[in-house]
Amino acid sequence: MSDPKPSAIAELVLEVRKTREYSRLTDAIPYTRFMGIGVENLAGEMMCRMRYQPMLIGNSFLPALHGGTLGALLESASIFELLLKTETPRVPKVISLTVDFLRSGKPQDTFARAIITRQGRRVANVRVDAWQDDRTRPIASAHALFLLAEP
């Protein structure tokens, strides 16, 4: 599959907003395919899952997931939340992303759920948590600020 053009992504986002076939969107983005990040509807909520792969390990002695992979999941979950829950016509641009690493990530699937805490015409604030076994015990959380394209 070739890399989609920006206008193709915008058209795909509009289709996925209607159909909720989230895998069509994540499969069209090379980075999310490579990282094993997908968007799923779990228990009536849209959330991201990063499927475990050995390449995601950063500390092989523990073993623990690399912090960069957790940051990628948190950022991706934030972007997908904005793309699918707002009317932004283009992929939002990160202004800032602050990640709090709370505990080691085990070698297993990791989930993330983003919530838009504030949205203006041009800027949106997003909070996102990542967890593995227990949603009440996040392994990482982030606060992100994004620049939105005006509709």
Side-chain angles (χ1 to χ4, degrees):
M1 175 184 258
S2 63
D3 293 352
K5 295 180 176 147
S7 61
I9 286 287
E11 290 172 19
L12 184 57
V13 167
L14 289 174
E15 288 177 32
V16 171
R17 282 178 186 158
K18 293 176 190 169
T19 65
R20 300 193 189 281
E21 295 175 27
Y22 303 127
S23 63
R24 291 183 57 210
L25 180 58
T26 56
D27 291 347
I29 301 169
Y31 185 68
T32 55
R33 274 197 327 263
F34 175 75
M35 294 296 294
I37 296 173
V39 178
E40 301 175 9
N41 185 343
L42 299 172
E45 287 184 286
M46 185 185 80
M47 58 185 72
C48 284
R49 176 195 304 242
M50 182 171 65
R51 298 207 177 270
Y52 172 71
Q53 306 170 65
M55 72 169 191
L56 301 177
I57 295 295
N59 182 335
S60 57
F61 293 110
L62 291 178
L65 295 177
H66 189 283
T69 66
L70 294 173
L73 173 62
L74 295 167
E75 181 180 341
S76 296
S78 299
I79 289 171
F80 287 129
E81 182 74 7
L82 288 167
L83 280 175
L84 297 170
K85 299 280 178 84
T86 68
E87 298 299 317
T88 186
R90 292 194 311 256
V91 175
K93 296 181 187 221
V94 178
I95 296 172
S96 68
L97 177 71
T98 303
V99 178
D100 295 321
F101 297 101
L102 306 172
R103 53 187 51 85
S104 294
K106 297 180 271 186
Q108 65 187 57
D109 288 4
T110 306
F111 301 90
R113 173 75 171 103
I115 297 171
I116 300 167
T117 56
R118 185 169 186 275
Q119 180 187 345
R121 286 190 335 262
R122 297 184 42 138
V123 176
N125 293 293
V126 180
R127 258 324 280 156
V128 59
D129 291 314
W131 70 93
Q132 292 181 316
D133 297 320
D134 182 354
R135 189 175 186 170
T136 65
R137 291 183 42 85
I139 61 172
S141 66
H143 177 262
L145 187 63
F146 290 90
L147 179 64
L148 305 174
E150 294 193 42

